[in-house]
Amino acid sequence: RIRESATHLRERGCRIGVARRDTLGGAVVEPVRERCAGALATPAYRVERSGDLAGVEAAAATKNVYAIAVGICHGLTEAGGEPWHDLAAATFTQAVAEMRRLAVALGGREETVLGLAGVGDLEVTSLSGRNRVFGARVGRGQPPEDALAAMAAAGQTVEGVPAARLA
């Protein structure tokens, strides 16, 4: 799991933070947090350490599913011209509440979900991630199978689709 987190952080840092020279954070859990943080940190990329494995995993496992739902709201707006911003906001808010409850049920901490590993990652994923793009395609009326196939053909993985089947 640490290796997967490190890969995710490196990908995010390269894809977003380094390209824009922003300072970003992510969550790395015990027991190798110091080593991972030192290996991944750059002047443009900050690693936020966490000892809350359950909270980080609950947030990471669910945020892509919720980003699809938020994307659907944006796709509805694009397709129909009517704003669905209130629905997107309500969906995002409900996602945070559900992520928080799941984390606590699994022994995690609320503050982990309310921080960068939860709300922060959900926000960036809901604004511009592949899962949001997939949701927007579906919201515009593209059948989910077609949207998924088109994204796969472009080399894009939509992690929220298999995760939704487990939810």
Side-chain angles (χ1 to χ4, degrees):
R1 291 180 181 155
I2 297 299
R3 184 179 193 143
E4 291 170 358
S5 296
T7 300
H8 175 72
L9 291 172
R10 186 178 306 257
E11 172 191 74
R12 174 151 311 201
C14 291
R15 187 178 71 223
I16 299 171
V18 174
R20 292 191 331 219
R21 302 227 189 278
D22 288 345
T23 299
L24 297 175
V28 175
V29 295
E30 300 284 0
V32 294
R33 66 184 180 158
E34 296 297 328
R35 194 172 94 209
C36 286
L40 297 172
T42 72
Y45 186 72
R46 178 180 57 86
V47 176
E48 183 176 303
R49 296 175 300 269
S50 173
D52 182 12
L53 179 61
V56 171
E57 287 188 339
T62 56
K63 58 105 176 170
N64 291 316
V65 177
Y66 296 123
I68 291 172
V70 172
I72 290 171
C73 298
H74 291 288
L76 289 168
T77 297
E78 295 165 12
E82 293 187 33
W84 290 85
H85 307 300
D86 290 344
L87 180 58
T91 301
F92 187 93
T93 302
Q94 185 64 32
V96 172
E98 290 179 12
M99 289 168 64
R100 181 190 58 77
R101 285 193 297 272
L102 177 62
V104 170
L106 295 173
R109 297 190 308 264
E110 288 183 11
E111 58 267 20
T112 300
V113 172
L114 298 176
L116 192 57
V119 173
D121 204 8
L122 176 62
E123 173 72 7
V124 73
T125 303
S126 295
L127 287 174
S128 61
R130 295 178 301 255
N131 293 282
R132 186 252 197 228
V133 170
F134 172 78
R137 286 173 172 261
V138 172
R140 287 192 301 268
Q142 188 173 15
E145 304 80 26
D146 294 350
L148 193 58
M151 293 184 74
Q156 297 179 327
T157 302
V158 184
E159 298 92 343
V161 172
R165 293 181 182 123
L166 300 173

